[in-house]
Amino acid sequence: MQFDTSQCPAYNTPQTNPKYPIIMSIEVGSKAPDFTLKSSNGPGEKNDFGLSDVTLSANNGEKNTVVLFFPLAFTGVCTKEMCDLTSGLSAYSDLNADVIAISVDSPFAQGQWVEKENIGITIASDLNKQTAKDYGVLLEDLIGVGSVSARAAFVVDKEGTVQYAEQTETPLELPNFDAIKETLSKLN
């Protein structure tokens, strides 16, 4: 399936059009913006609504973190990406890394998706879209549905420094997970 970027304003800007290089506002070597987001399947104590806080800096000094942004739950490519990651989660654990995937969906919608698809990685809600803005991956409009996260990947080391940054050219493409694993292997 081809993705026609002319039909998608969010992927038809100088920052995101495949004719232009993808410009990441968070560069390798920079400090990763910290975040605390709600999750229905994240680690830690649950509040009265069944949600826990997921904080990037909780891994500081302990583990590396793969931070993934994806457009929306309950969509084909996003479901495939998260299910594939779930089946290969031990590879990231073996590389001393946690994986946190972030979308702008509510944590309750994410919870239903996680349950339906048996997703085992931590899914966190950026409902107010601030984290996507902080990482420079918020798309103003995706095929007319409004602002969502681009598909992007970051490797953040134990000190909170970005060691890998990638935004895919279209939402139908997945990040280069081999390059992500290679980056993680060099950090251990």
Side-chain angles (χ1 to χ4, degrees):
M1 172 188 264
Q2 286 286 356
F3 184 77
D4 180 5
T5 58
S6 68
Q7 301 301 311
C8 180
Y11 272 91
N12 199 22
T13 65
Q15 179 180 357
T16 56
N17 188 307
K19 295 177 186 173
Y20 303 94
I22 300 293
I23 301 165
M24 302 296 295
S25 63
I26 303 296
E27 295 181 13
V28 171
S30 65
K31 194 75 169 165
D34 198 14
F35 56 79
T36 298
L37 300 171
K38 297 295 184 194
S39 176
S40 65
N41 74 331
E45 188 176 325
K46 305 279 188 207
N47 66 17
D48 292 344
F49 302 102
L51 303 176
S52 63
D53 286 335
V54 174
T55 302
L56 175 62
S57 60
N59 284 342
N60 285 0
E62 302 288 324
K63 289 186 171 189
N64 303 305
T65 308
V66 177
V67 179
L68 300 172
F69 288 89
F70 64 98
L72 293 166
F74 292 103
T75 58
V77 177
C78 297
T79 299
K80 178 179 177 5
E81 178 182 16
M82 297 307 137
C83 289
D84 287 353
L85 282 165
T86 294
S87 66
L89 194 55
S90 64
Y92 295 94
S93 297
D94 292 347
L95 291 167
N96 193 35
D98 277 344
V99 178
I100 301 170
I102 301 169
S103 76
V104 300
D105 300 288
S106 82
F108 306 106
Q110 290 174 339
Q112 292 296 311
W113 184 54
V114 162
E115 188 175 313
K116 178 182 184 287
E117 301 295 343
N118 296 313
I119 295 170
I121 65 170
T122 299
I123 305 291
S125 173
D126 183 24
L127 190 59
N128 69 8
K129 304 172 184 171
Q130 187 59 52
T131 303
K133 285 179 194 170
D134 291 347
Y135 277 77
V137 297
L138 184 66
L139 301 174
E140 291 305 318
D141 185 42
L142 181 67
I143 59 173
V145 299
S147 299
V148 298
S149 303
R151 194 172 313 280
F154 299 87
V155 173
V156 180
D157 68 18
K158 293 181 256 188
E159 287 74 44
T161 303
V162 175
Q163 298 294 330
Y164 179 89
E166 173 188 8
Q167 178 181 324
T168 64
E169 290 183 354
T170 78
L172 297 176
E173 296 176 38
L174 297 177
N176 185 338
F177 289 107
D178 289 335
I180 291 168
K181 290 176 192 170
E182 183 179 327
T183 300
L184 288 168
S185 69
K186 292 176 183 176
L187 296 175
N188 291 320

